[in-house]
Amino acid sequence: MKPDIEELRKKYIENPPEGMTSEDIRHMSEDDLLDMDYFLNEDDPFDDLFGEEGFYIF
């Protein structure tokens, strides 16, 4: 595993997100771990800025 992945895995094993256990984290693939980290640390996952600016179709 890459060193960054090891650090992430250790971080989430020591303090798993709500609804997960450290055992779940141990068995996650690298891609799943990176996806989980991305979504847990994204500013606002539901803010897609739709209609804020740009092209409009009426």
Side-chain angles (χ1 to χ4, degrees):
M1 279 191 274
K2 301 173 188 170
D4 295 338
I5 300 293
E6 282 288 333
E7 290 174 22
L8 270 180
R9 192 173 303 277
K10 182 178 177 185
K11 171 185 168 183
Y12 288 117
I13 285 173
E14 291 173 358
N15 188 16
E18 185 176 339
M20 298 190 83
T21 66
S22 57
E23 194 66 27
D24 295 333
I25 304 299
R26 280 188 189 92
H27 295 290
M28 289 178 85
S29 71
E30 289 182 5
D31 288 337
D32 289 342
L33 190 63
L34 289 171
D35 287 346
M36 179 184 73
D37 182 61
Y38 174 80
F39 287 110
L40 288 173
N41 293 305
E42 189 177 21
D43 288 337
D44 186 358
F46 301 106
D47 183 19
D48 62 1
L49 300 175
F50 180 76
E52 292 273 330
E53 57 184 62
F55 187 75
Y56 294 92
I57 298 176
F58 295 97

